[in-house]
């Protein structure tokens, strides 16, 4: 009995990472519900409130998007100076707006009127935080001061002068008596408002701090600055818990999802990245069209908003399955489970008195963790495989070219080379028959994966059809185009070699 025909092994090249992981499927369920291009960069975004409101600023204008009604309203579009920060009170009824001149304005979101105006800073206020349960607001400014302001009685409760030596970019409440502040001096301070010396602990990030986020009641917080994101334990400033440098350009914002053990960062390199909080590995990323300056993410990951330097605001919300479909799927699943239970409870009352040895196990059903193996059925050969089996090499190459799949064409050509019949498969053809192969040569010859195979094929084609080739013919134009492509590639390689030489010279001089 002859052995079965050995099928052609299709050549496989390295592929990109799979994008259909459960994590990617979760983040790809977000759909855009609001996209708009403003006249200036989106300088700040505020969210995380009980009223499901999102506010964003651009130039002299602040707008609020209502998630429930999917309605956009303008709070004010004629502020005296550029808006650089926004923040909501937890109930969503009050919105704080920080101007570049140092003024902080409090708006009532329902009526959009100005409740209070706070003019105690001399420079831009980039950091604002509301104190939960009280009428206190914390502001950090480029004048190197942090102020605790009681907007109920319109007075300053506490003022912290020069706790940083450079611009203050982030303030976050830890509890009712302590808060975190981060600045461009690369330091993060834990401030106890009850102590005479307010700075309890200082954490050195190593780069100018752009943003902070405290992770619930875990006693940990995240900081971003430069290209690095770090996780800290608020009780130990000596070392970081974890850190990551997975961006090429400066990070701008960080938001934590403590309940989901995830956090998100945005950066100037246009990337939004989602990290696993346990191992600090990137589990998902998305690239936008411009550098990301502002960002907000719901605590339950129901929505997120991205503000870009070109003025575009993108608001995305996670899709929710229709309830009716969910009920149908659940009912179908219950029906399947009940059917399985009935089969497992079924008992055959017949008694096999003879040939019990040969009939043993015929009424057994596989358990939950068992797998039934079926006898493999012979697979049907492809057209190019049947031609190779019958030694019809010319037809085999034609069948492979007809698939328009590069990996199959390459595998068949390699098989023909291995059998030393490539010339036989290429000869006595007109241009129309070889056009798919010639097109692939022009498009793939500079790809390192295919260069070593396609260049020898080009030489074989030149030997077969070069003698009868006339100027202006299709084959002549093909070889002219191939020659230009190879010359351009050689020129590019020469330039790369020159640049490498220059870089080596710079490194050598720097090291010496």
């Amino acid at each position: 009995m002859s052995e079965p025909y050995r099928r052609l092994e299709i050549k496989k090249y390295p592929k990109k990472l799979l994008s259909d992981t459960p994590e990617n499927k979760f983040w790809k369920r977000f759909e855009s519900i609001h996209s708009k291009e403003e006249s200036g960069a989106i300088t700040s975004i505020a969210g995380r409130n009980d009223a499901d409101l999102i506010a964003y600023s651009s130039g002299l204008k602040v707008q609020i998007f209502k998630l429930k009604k999917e309605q956009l309203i303008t709070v004010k579009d004629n502020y005296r100076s550029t808006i650089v920060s926004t923040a909501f009170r937890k109930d969503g009824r009050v919105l704080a707006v920080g101007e570049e001149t140092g003024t902080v304005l409090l708006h009532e979101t329902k009526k959009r009127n100005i409740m209070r105006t706070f003019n105690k800073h001399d420079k831009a206020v980039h950091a604002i935080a509301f104190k939960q349960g009280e009428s206190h607001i914390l502001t950090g400014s480029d004048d190197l001061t942090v102020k605790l302001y009681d907007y109920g009685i319109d007075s300053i409760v506490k003022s912290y002068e020069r706790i940083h030596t450079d611009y203050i970019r982030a303030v976050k409440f830890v509890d009712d008596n302590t808060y975190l502040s981060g600045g461009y001096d690369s330091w993060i301070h834990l401030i106890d408002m009850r102590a005479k010396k307010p700075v309890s602990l200082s954490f050195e990030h190593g780069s100018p701090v752009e943003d902070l986020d405290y992770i619930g009641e875990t006693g940990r917080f995240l900081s971003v600055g430069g290209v690095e994101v770090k996780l800290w334990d608020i009780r130990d400033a000596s070392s970081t818990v974890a850190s990551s440098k997975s961006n090429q350009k400066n990070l701008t914002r960080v938001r934590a999802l403590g309940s989901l053990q995830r956090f998100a960062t945005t950066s100037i390199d246009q990337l939004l990245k989602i990290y696993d909080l346990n191992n600090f590995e990137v589990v998902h990323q998305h690239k936008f069209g411009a550098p990301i300056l502002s960002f907000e993410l719901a605590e339950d990951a129901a929505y997120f908003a991205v503000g870009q330097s070109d003025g575009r605001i993108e608001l995305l919300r996670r899709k929710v399955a229709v309830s009716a479909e969910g009920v149908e799927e659940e009912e179908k699943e219950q029906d399947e489970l009940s059917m399985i239970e009935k089969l497992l409870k079924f008992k055959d009352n017949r008694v096999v008195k003879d040939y019990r040895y040969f009939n043993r196990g015929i009424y057994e059903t596989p358990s939950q963790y068992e797998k039934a193996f079926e006898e493999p059925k012979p697979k049907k050969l492809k057209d190019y495989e049947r031609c190779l089996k019958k030694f019809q090499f010319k037809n085999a190459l034609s069948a492979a070219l007809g698939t328009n799949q590069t990996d199959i064409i390459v595998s068949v050509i390699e098989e023909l080379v291995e059998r030393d019949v490539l010339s036989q498969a290429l000869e006595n053809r007109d241009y129309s028959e070889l056009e798919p192969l010639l097109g692939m040569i022009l498009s793939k010859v500079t790809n390192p994966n295919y260069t070593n195979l396609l260049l020898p094929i080009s030489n074989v084609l030149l030997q077969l059809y070069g003698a009868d080739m006339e100027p202006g013919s299709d084959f002549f134009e093909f070889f002219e185009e191939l020659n230009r492509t190879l010359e351009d590639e050689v020129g590019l390689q020469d330039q790369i070699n020159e640049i490498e030489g220059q870089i080596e010279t710079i490194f050598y001089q720097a090291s010496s």
Side-chain angles (χ1 to χ4, degrees):
M1 182 177 180
S2 61
E3 294 184 2
Y5 175 74
R6 182 176 63 86
R7 301 193 64 178
L8 180 66
E9 184 176 349
I10 304 300
K11 192 177 181 72
K12 298 294 182 182
Y13 293 98
K15 294 183 179 180
K16 294 182 179 180
L17 294 175
L18 293 175
S19 59
D20 57 349
T21 62
E23 192 84 30
N24 284 329
K25 288 180 179 179
F26 175 84
W27 293 104
K28 285 182 178 180
R29 283 204 297 265
F30 285 77
E31 61 179 353
S32 177
I33 59 173
H34 177 66
S35 179
K36 185 180 179 182
E37 189 167 345
E38 301 291 343
S39 57
I42 308 300
T43 52
S44 68
I45 300 177
R48 294 197 171 188
N49 56 80
D50 298 335
D52 288 335
L53 301 176
I54 297 175
Y56 63 89
S57 62
S58 174
L60 305 179
K61 182 168 62 175
V62 174
Q63 299 179 85
I64 293 178
F65 188 85
K66 297 181 178 180
L67 283 168
K68 293 180 179 178
K69 298 182 180 180
E70 294 190 6
Q71 178 186 3
L72 182 67
I73 59 175
T74 300
V75 177
K76 191 177 179 182
D77 58 1
N78 58 349
Y79 289 92
R80 292 183 178 181
S81 63
T82 302
I83 306 303
V84 293
S85 60
T86 51
F88 274 110
R89 197 170 69 181
K90 183 62 177 174
D91 58 6
R93 294 181 178 180
V94 180
L95 172 68
V97 175
E99 293 185 343
E100 198 171 30
T101 57
T103 303
V104 178
L105 301 100
L106 297 181
H107 292 272
E108 188 179 359
T109 55
K110 190 174 183 179
K111 298 181 179 180
R112 288 175 278 172
N113 61 315
I114 298 176
M115 299 168 50
R116 296 286 188 191
T117 301
F118 176 48
N119 291 311
K120 302 302 181 180
H121 287 290
D122 299 327
K123 294 184 179 180
V125 178
H126 284 273
I128 303 176
F130 278 91
K131 188 175 182 180
Q132 192 168 354
E134 297 183 25
S135 59
H136 290 173
I137 185 173
L138 194 67
T139 58
S141 170
D142 288 355
D143 61 8
L144 314 184
T145 63
V146 176
K147 296 182 185 294
L148 183 65
Y149 173 65
D150 189 336
Y151 55 88
I153 58 175
D154 194 13
S155 67
I156 297 176
V157 179
K158 289 184 180 293
S159 180
Y160 301 94
E161 308 288 337
R162 295 191 174 275
I163 57 175
H164 290 274
T165 59
D166 207 338
Y167 299 154
I168 297 171
R169 280 297 185 268
V171 290
K172 291 287 179 182
F173 275 105
V174 175
D175 53 38
D176 292 340
N177 299 306
T178 56
Y179 69 88
L180 293 162
S181 67
Y184 276 4
D185 57 0
S186 304
W187 286 93
I188 305 159
H189 298 307
L190 178 64
I191 308 298
D192 189 343
M193 294 184 287
R194 300 164 297 183
K196 292 183 179 180
K197 293 183 178 180
V199 179
S200 300
L201 284 173
S202 294
F203 307 81
E204 186 176 9
H205 183 83
S207 301
V209 177
E210 290 287 353
D211 197 17
L212 302 169
D213 200 17
Y214 185 69
I215 308 174
E217 300 177 353
T218 62
R220 295 181 175 184
F221 68 92
L222 291 157
S223 65
V224 291
V227 297
E228 190 169 17
V229 54
K230 291 186 176 182
L231 178 64
W232 303 86
D233 189 329
I234 206 165
R235 294 154 294 191
D236 182 14
S238 60
S239 62
T240 56
V241 177
S243 64
S244 175
K245 292 182 179 180
S246 63
N247 288 82
Q248 300 298 320
K249 296 183 180 179
N250 287 359
L251 296 165
T252 54
R253 290 291 179 266
V254 62
R255 289 292 179 268
L257 297 168
S259 59
L260 299 178
Q261 294 297 303
R262 298 289 186 271
F263 69 91
T265 64
T266 58
S267 68
I268 300 298
D269 58 11
Q270 310 173 20
L271 288 174
L272 163 64
K273 293 191 175 185
I274 310 297
Y275 291 79
D276 188 333
L277 194 57
N278 297 312
N279 54 26
F280 256 53
E281 291 183 356
V282 177
V283 294
H284 179 76
Q285 70 177 23
H286 184 80
K287 189 167 185 177
F288 289 85
I292 302 173
L293 302 183
S294 50
F295 174 70
E296 189 60 276
L297 174 64
E299 293 175 335
D300 58 353
Y303 68 86
F304 66 86
V306 176
Q308 304 170 53
S309 62
D310 61 355
R312 179 160 293 281
I313 175 75
E314 296 278 353
L315 179 56
L316 298 96
R317 182 163 57 186
R318 193 169 73 245
K319 296 179 184 178
V320 180
V322 180
S323 59
E325 294 179 357
V327 171
E328 290 177 1
E329 291 179 0
E330 186 176 354
E331 290 177 352
K332 182 179 178 182
E333 185 178 10
Q334 291 296 330
D335 292 342
E336 291 177 352
L337 290 174
S338 61
M339 187 181 297
I340 293 173
E341 289 177 357
K342 289 179 182 178
L343 289 173
L344 292 176
K345 291 179 180 179
F346 171 76
K347 291 184 179 179
D348 195 342
N349 296 323
R350 292 180 298 171
V351 179
V352 181
K353 297 181 179 180
D354 299 322
Y355 306 106
R356 286 181 296 177
Y357 175 81
F358 298 99
N359 293 332
R360 71 190 189 283
I362 60 173
Y363 303 116
E364 292 290 332
T365 57
S367 66
Q368 180 182 359
Y369 301 102
E370 292 178 339
K371 183 177 181 180
F373 289 90
E374 297 181 357
E375 184 178 355
K377 298 179 180 178
K379 294 184 179 180
K380 188 178 180 181
L381 295 178
K382 303 291 184 181
D383 290 340
Y384 53 85
E385 291 178 314
R386 283 198 299 271
C387 294
L388 287 173
K389 185 178 181 180
K390 296 178 180 179
F391 304 101
Q392 299 173 356
F393 305 120
K394 193 172 182 178
N395 294 337
L397 180 58
S398 299
L401 293 174
T403 64
N404 291 324
Q405 297 182 30
T406 305
D407 52 352
I408 292 178
I409 297 173
V410 169
S411 302
V412 170
I413 291 176
E414 286 186 345
E415 180 70 16
L416 296 175
V417 171
E418 186 71 22
R419 299 191 187 191
D420 196 20
V421 291
L422 180 61
S423 298
Q424 180 181 339
L426 291 173
E427 63 185 1
N428 298 326
R429 291 176 179 264
D430 56 22
Y431 182 82
S432 59
E433 291 181 273
L434 292 173
E435 190 171 5
L437 178 61
L438 303 181
M440 190 186 81
I441 292 174
L442 289 176
S443 62
K444 304 287 186 181
V445 70
T446 57
N447 188 325
N449 289 332
Y450 309 106
T451 303
N452 291 336
L453 178 66
L454 297 182
L455 283 179
I457 294 176
S458 303
N459 290 329
V460 173
L461 289 171
L462 187 61
Q463 293 173 4
L464 292 173
Y465 301 99
D468 301 330
M469 191 167 53
E470 297 179 358
S473 64
D474 293 331
F475 281 110
F476 185 85
E477 291 181 359
F478 161 72
F479 285 108
E480 283 286 320
E481 181 65 24
L482 179 61
N483 185 52
R484 286 193 294 268
T485 302
L486 295 177
E487 285 180 350
D488 292 342
E489 181 66 19
V490 171
L492 177 62
Q493 295 295 333
D494 290 339
Q495 293 178 9
I496 293 174
N497 290 333
E498 290 177 5
I499 294 173
E500 287 181 347
Q502 293 171 3
I503 293 173
E504 289 179 1
T505 302
I506 293 172
F507 283 152
Y508 177 77
Q509 291 177 351
S511 61
S512 60

